[in-house]
Amino acid sequence: MSMKDFDSLVGIWNEQKTSPNINYKEVINHYKTNRSKLSFKFLLEILAMLIAFSVVSYIFFTIEFEFWTSYVGLILVNICCIYFIAMQIINLKNIANSNTLFDKPQDHIQFIKEFKKSRYIQHTRNYKVYTFVLGLGLSLYFVEFFYRLNLAVMITVVAATIAWFVICYLYLMKIYIKKEEKRFNDMLTDLERLNEQFSDEV
């Protein structure tokens, strides 16, 4: 390496060392924005699933079915609704109770990492079980209509339902996971930038 190249390398290093500190307020506001959006998304999903639960419950108690499979199917669908609502309430509560950002930044970073891992498990392993139970519930519910609807209509309904499950599982869920992972990564990036800056100043 020539002396000129060495001087250039030293200059670049010095520029990096003397770069201005990050704007704490900007980073924290960005972190809080992502956190608020995540909480709001959970809240909307809870409300949407409460509506679905109410509709299914209304059908269960107001319509008389000929086959017991319809009642079992609706119960399974509502179990899925209850599970989803319960998980989102827990997620919402965890975010609301995570107040270690300023007291223990390292603990808060660890909390976000564990929360991210937990959500990924919910989206993958738990979602497979959720989809199976929901699909089983709808299948039992459709038994009633097999004897009431025209065969062509029944085939169309079943095909549309299967297509929707496939689209959700193979496409929409991947987009959902990708967006949430990005939000978690943005939050972790903000926290780690703050933590590194604090560590440099100590």
Side-chain angles (χ1 to χ4, degrees):
M1 178 184 290
S2 66
M3 183 61 68
K4 183 178 180 181
D5 292 334
F6 180 77
D7 290 340
S8 298
L9 186 62
V10 171
I12 293 172
W13 175 250
N14 287 332
E15 286 178 5
Q16 291 178 341
K17 287 180 65 179
T18 58
S19 60
N21 293 340
I22 62 174
N23 187 323
Y24 297 134
K25 184 178 291 187
E26 181 180 332
V27 173
I28 290 174
N29 285 340
H30 186 252
Y31 167 79
K32 287 184 175 180
T33 298
N34 277 315
R35 176 170 157 159
S36 296
K37 286 180 178 179
L38 192 62
S39 297
F40 186 66
K41 184 189 72 168
F42 290 154
L43 183 59
L44 286 181
E45 290 173 354
I46 290 171
L47 294 175
M49 196 57 73
L50 281 172
I51 294 173
F53 177 82
S54 300
V55 171
V56 173
S57 298
Y58 177 80
I59 294 173
F60 183 91
F61 289 109
T62 59
I63 298 178
E64 291 187 11
F65 298 104
E66 294 182 11
F67 297 93
W68 60 268
T69 52
S70 298
Y71 295 102
V72 175
L74 290 175
I75 289 173
L76 289 177
V77 171
N78 257 355
I79 287 174
C80 290
C81 291
I82 292 171
Y83 163 79
F84 186 91
I85 292 169
M87 291 306 302
Q88 298 302 66
I89 289 175
I90 291 172
N91 291 327
L92 200 59
K93 187 175 180 181
N94 283 337
I95 291 180
N97 291 339
S98 59
N99 297 318
T100 56
L101 174 58
F102 299 106
D103 297 332
K104 299 177 181 178
Q106 280 288 355
D107 289 352
H108 197 75
I109 291 174
Q110 188 60 33
F111 159 76
I112 295 297
K113 288 181 178 179
E114 291 175 358
F115 190 32
K116 176 185 174 184
K117 182 179 179 181
S118 172
R119 286 292 292 168
Y120 184 77
I121 292 173
Q122 291 174 33
H123 294 327
T124 53
R125 185 184 64 194
N126 294 5
Y127 184 68
K128 290 179 182 178
V129 178
Y130 172 87
T131 302
F132 174 78
V133 176
L134 182 61
L136 178 60
L138 290 176
S139 298
L140 291 173
Y141 179 67
F142 284 155
V143 170
E144 182 90 19
F145 298 96
F146 181 78
Y147 295 94
R148 293 188 178 187
L149 297 179
N150 178 278
L151 182 60
V153 175
M154 188 63 195
I155 291 175
T156 302
V157 171
V158 172
T161 303
I162 293 174
W164 174 248
F165 269 83
V166 171
I167 291 171
C168 286
Y169 190 84
L170 297 179
Y171 181 68
L172 296 180
M173 196 61 189
K174 289 183 178 180
I175 294 176
Y176 184 92
I177 293 173
K178 187 176 180 180
K179 285 183 177 180
E180 190 166 288
E181 287 279 302
K182 183 181 183 305
R183 183 152 288 148
F184 275 121
N185 289 336
D186 287 345
M187 292 166 68
L188 284 170
T189 298
D190 289 336
L191 292 175
E192 287 170 350
R193 285 177 66 197
L194 283 175
N195 186 61
E196 288 175 5
Q197 187 68 50
F198 284 132
S199 298
D200 290 342
E201 292 181 355
V202 174

